C-alpha cells in the first residue's frame, strides 16, 4: 500500500512540475534575475514531457486496479517516472540555466547617497 502512495505522489509531482516549467515560459513569475535565463523551447519540451509521463503514469496506476496486467507494469512505470524526474533535475541544475552576464550593474547607482 505504501508503494502506491509513493507511486501516485511521484506522478502528481511530475504533472505539477511540468505545468510549472511550461507555464514559466509563457508567463514568468519574475523570481529569477534577468541574467539567469532558461531556453524557452527546451523548457516547454520538458514541461510537455513531464506532464505526459505524469498523466500516463497516473492513468496506468488507476487502470491497474481493474487490469492485473497493468498492475504488473506499475513498478516499471515507477522507475520510468523516477528516471524522468532525475533527468529533469540534472537538466535544471547543470544544463537548463546558463548565466549570461550582460554587463548590467547588480545595484542601482544612487550617486553615493545610499539608503540603509
Amino acid at each position: 500500500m505504501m508503494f502506491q502512495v509513493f507511486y501516485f505522489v511521484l506522478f502528481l509531482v511530475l504533472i505539477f512540475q511540468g505545468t510549472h516549467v511550461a507555464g514559466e515560459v509563457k508567463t514568468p513569475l519574475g523570481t529569477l534575475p534577468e541574467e539567469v535565463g532558461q531556453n524557452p523551447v527546451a523548457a516547454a519540451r520538458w514541461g510537455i514531457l513531464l506532464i505526459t509521463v505524469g498523466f500516463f503514469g497516473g492513468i496506468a496506476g488507476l487502470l491497474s486496479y481493474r487490469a492485473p496486467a497493468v498492475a504488473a507494469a506499475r513498478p516499471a512505470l515507477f522507475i520510468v517516472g523516477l528516471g524522468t524526474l532525475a533527468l529533469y533535475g540534472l537538466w535544471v541544475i547543470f544544463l537548463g540555466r546558463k548565466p549570461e552576464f550582460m554587463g548590467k550593474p547588480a545595484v542601482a547607482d544612487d550617486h553615493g547617497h545610499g539608503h540603509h
Side-chain angles (χ1 to χ4, degrees), residues 15-106:
I15 292 170
F16 292 147
Q17 189 62 46
T19 55
H20 171 74
V21 73
E24 181 76 21
V25 172
K26 291 181 182 176
T27 54
L29 297 174
T31 56
L32 292 173
E34 291 181 20
E35 293 87 11
V36 182
Q38 190 175 29
N39 184 351
V41 175
R45 287 181 183 163
W46 270 110
I48 291 168
L49 177 68
L50 293 174
I51 293 168
T52 303
V53 171
F55 273 120
F56 182 71
I59 290 170
L62 292 174
L63 287 176
S64 68
Y65 292 114
R66 297 290 257 174
V70 179
R74 236 184 0 227
L77 291 171
F78 187 72
I79 301 269
V80 168
L82 280 178
T84 304
L85 191 60
L87 287 174
Y88 172 70
L90 290 174
W91 177 76
V92 166
I93 294 169
F94 296 111
L95 302 172
R97 299 186 189 272
K98 300 263 182 187
E100 296 177 9
F101 299 102
M102 297 179 270
K104 292 183 178 180

Side-chain angles (χ1 to χ4, degrees), residues 5 7 14 22 62 93:
V5 170
Y7 178 86
L14 286 174
L62 292 174
I93 294 169

